[in-house]
Amino acid sequence: MSAILRACLPIAVLGFTAALTAGAARAAHLPQDSSAPATLTVSVSLAGFSAGGDVGCALFAGPNGFPMDASSATAIWQPAQSAMTCRFEGLAPGVYAVAVSHDLNGNRKTDRNFVGMPKEAWGVSNNVRPSLRAPRFEEAAVRIASGPVEIGIEVRK
């Protein structure tokens, strides 16, 4: 199924009301309570890892600035390792995208060449990697309901 089906039927039993919930789950299970804050865990793998620098994970709540301008995003920076994790907690249900950059020179951005192509390793959610343009928010979008959600991103040049 392409969506979670939820049907609630109230039943009165001895003065109490009970709700029966039936659902068809998709391949990627999303929790049913969409009002609780969510946690997004991003497993980052650095292909062709080179020592040094920092890795930044930027969480975008909309297309503004995605993927190169993290000024409107929530960013987490940490020393680069071949495999690492970024965790975003307390998220409201919604649609998000993540951009990851291996910043080798410490300027906290993905450096680009004269035609705008990245010079440092990068990756985005859904591992979208168009050949002649930047990924679009809609291509990298991840729907977050509630509870824990995990995704993986491969960062490469």
Side-chain angles (χ1 to χ4, degrees):
M1 292 235 145
S2 64
I4 295 178
L5 173 65
R6 191 182 308 184
C8 294
L9 303 170
I11 300 173
V13 178
L14 300 173
F16 294 98
T17 301
L20 298 177
T21 302
R26 298 185 302 161
H29 173 65
L30 295 177
Q32 292 183 6
D33 178 10
S34 63
S35 62
T39 299
L40 174 62
T41 302
V42 180
S43 297
V44 177
S45 64
L46 295 175
F49 173 70
S50 60
D54 291 326
V55 169
C57 297
L59 178 70
F60 293 81
N64 187 28
F66 182 82
M68 300 297 275
D69 179 8
S71 61
S72 65
T74 301
I76 297 171
W77 288 92
Q78 52 191 319
Q81 300 174 27
S82 60
M84 50 199 318
T85 302
C86 297
R87 183 184 312 269
F88 299 94
E89 297 180 337
L91 300 177
V95 177
Y96 298 88
V98 179
V100 180
S101 176
H102 183 187
D103 177 26
L104 293 170
N105 62 3
N107 64 355
R108 299 235 162 158
K109 65 180 185 176
T110 304
D111 293 324
R112 296 182 260 183
N113 65 18
F114 68 97
V115 293
M117 300 297 287
K119 295 190 319 185
E120 295 175 307
W122 62 275
V124 298
S125 41
N126 296 331
N127 288 309
V128 177
R129 209 159 175 92
S131 58
L132 297 175
R133 63 171 173 80
R136 295 184 180 104
F137 179 85
E138 295 77 21
E139 296 170 318
V142 176
R143 183 167 299 280
I144 305 293
S146 66
V149 176
E150 295 181 19
I151 64 170
I153 297 178
E154 182 181 345
V155 174
R156 59 189 169 96
K157 272 193 167 184

